[in-house]
Amino acid sequence: MTHRFKVTIAHPPFLLSILVFALLLAQGCSPRKRDAKEEQIRIESPAEVKPDSNLVNSIQGNTTPGQIPITPHEVLLTGLDEHRLVTIYKDRRPAATKSYNTDDYLYGKRSYDYESDREEHYMPGLDLLYGYNLLNVAHYDLKAEKLNLLFEQPVLVKSLYYPSFIQDSLYEKPITRNYYLVSVYDADTNQDTLINRKDLRRFYYFDATAAQKVQLLPADYSAVRSQYDPKNDVMYIFARQDANHDGTTKPDEPLHIFWVSLKTPQVAKRLY
């Protein structure tokens, strides 16, 4: 006996409407779309360069209370006994209730590469915190009882390398770091009144007290990613050049490589 089945095909416009609705729904739920929209700082006043500061293109934004609500989150234990770091995030709790919602109030995550989790101590002697809505980092000296901020104004800290609390080793030899490395969006380089991922990503060295600050990459470069060379204890920084000087970078602009000795990280030299 032969069985016949009747197949009903939906009207094409109906299928198209379902497809469009599903696509819009997926885009609305995409973390990348949300991050790109929400992780930003709006600048209320023009950029100002301070001649007596190592912070290139420092932003004099409106930081009066209520403009950018912030909150401390964690005291980072460093490998330097008297030195501690405090992470400061954008406070995204509802103003009325001050109750937490994990979907709306996201902190940075511990990871060991710029974009994805890696094994512990990606670079020996250094822990890495990858930031999301991380607006600043404070340094506290327990002996001097003194607090100072790494950045004078709110920024977007993307990666913070700091001396590991647990003693580390390289080729079975103990190794201790006494500095901090930070990649950060700290200026409205493309002049769109926002500090976000479209701007140039700086890379800084800070000494143990966070008093000395050095910008490692040239002003027309944006950090992309890093690689570690254990044989030479060197960090390679891949950075894209803002060749047309419009304050942002594009995939077709030159990608260069700089290297930093982790024994003396105050200078970055171009390799390629």
Side-chain angles (χ1 to χ4, degrees):
M1 179 181 293
T2 302
H3 296 278
R4 295 184 178 181
F5 297 90
K6 182 179 180 181
V7 179
T8 301
I9 301 177
H11 192 54
F14 176 71
L15 286 178
L16 180 60
S17 63
I18 292 179
L19 179 61
V20 170
F21 176 77
L23 181 60
L24 291 175
L25 182 62
Q27 289 178 343
C29 297
S30 171
R32 289 186 177 274
K33 291 288 184 181
R34 182 194 63 195
D35 292 356
K37 179 180 179 181
E38 295 185 2
E39 193 182 20
Q40 61 188 24
I41 302 174
R42 183 170 296 279
I43 303 304
E44 303 295 343
S45 61
E48 177 181 313
V49 177
K50 290 187 176 182
D52 59 345
S53 172
N54 287 325
L55 179 58
V56 178
N57 293 331
S58 61
I59 295 298
Q60 298 300 302
N62 189 344
T63 58
T64 55
Q67 293 298 318
I68 304 180
I70 58 176
T71 183
H73 174 53
E74 182 181 9
V75 176
L76 299 178
L77 307 183
T78 77
L80 308 175
D81 293 347
E82 298 170 359
H83 302 273
R84 296 295 180 254
L85 301 177
V86 180
T87 54
I88 303 171
Y89 287 86
K90 180 185 293 185
D91 190 345
R92 303 182 63 244
R93 294 175 292 172
T97 63
K98 289 298 180 183
S99 61
Y100 290 87
N101 184 322
T102 54
D103 292 333
D104 295 328
Y105 190 49
L106 299 177
Y107 289 123
K109 63 177 182 178
R110 297 296 181 90
S111 65
Y112 298 90
D113 201 350
Y114 281 176
E115 304 300 339
S116 61
D117 292 338
R118 294 285 295 275
E119 69 274 8
E120 189 172 358
H121 294 174
Y122 166 60
M123 296 189 296
L126 291 171
D127 272 322
L128 172 59
L129 177 69
Y130 178 75
Y132 176 83
N133 278 327
L134 176 57
L135 300 190
N136 215 329
V137 177
H139 169 270
Y140 189 79
D141 187 323
L142 287 168
K143 184 176 182 180
E145 300 184 9
K146 181 180 178 181
L147 178 76
N148 59 295
L149 296 172
L150 267 61
F151 298 93
E152 296 178 4
Q153 302 292 337
V155 298
L156 290 179
V157 178
K158 300 315 300 173
S159 55
L160 167 65
Y161 298 88
Y162 59 96
S164 57
F165 179 70
I166 299 175
Q167 177 65 61
D168 208 348
S169 63
L170 180 61
Y171 293 109
E172 299 181 356
K173 294 182 179 180
I175 188 167
T176 301
R177 313 294 189 185
N178 62 350
Y179 54 82
Y180 320 103
L181 299 173
V182 185
S183 77
V184 59
Y185 298 99
D186 66 340
D188 177 22
T189 58
N190 65 351
Q191 300 298 306
D192 65 352
T193 74
L194 299 173
I195 295 180
N196 55 26
R197 291 174 179 265
K198 295 179 181 179
D199 295 303
L200 301 183
R201 183 177 180 180
R202 311 299 193 190
F203 207 102
Y204 291 99
Y205 157 90
F206 291 84
D207 69 356
T209 65
Q212 181 189 8
K213 181 193 309 176
V214 178
Q215 182 170 308
L216 295 177
L217 298 176
D220 59 342
Y221 279 83
S222 182
V224 176
R225 58 188 174 89
S226 71
Q227 179 183 341
Y228 179 59
D229 177 352
K231 284 293 184 181
N232 296 289
D233 198 21
V234 161
M235 179 185 192
Y236 300 115
I237 305 173
F238 292 74
R240 197 170 297 280
Q241 185 178 21
D242 177 19
N244 63 359
H245 303 288
D246 64 352
T248 190
T249 57
K250 303 172 185 62
D252 60 347
E253 290 184 303
L255 183 68
H256 295 145
I257 305 173
F258 295 82
W259 66 275
V260 175
S261 169
L262 295 186
K263 297 181 179 65
T264 54
Q266 296 89 336
V267 179
K269 301 177 181 180
R270 182 169 160 181
L271 181 150
Y272 176 86

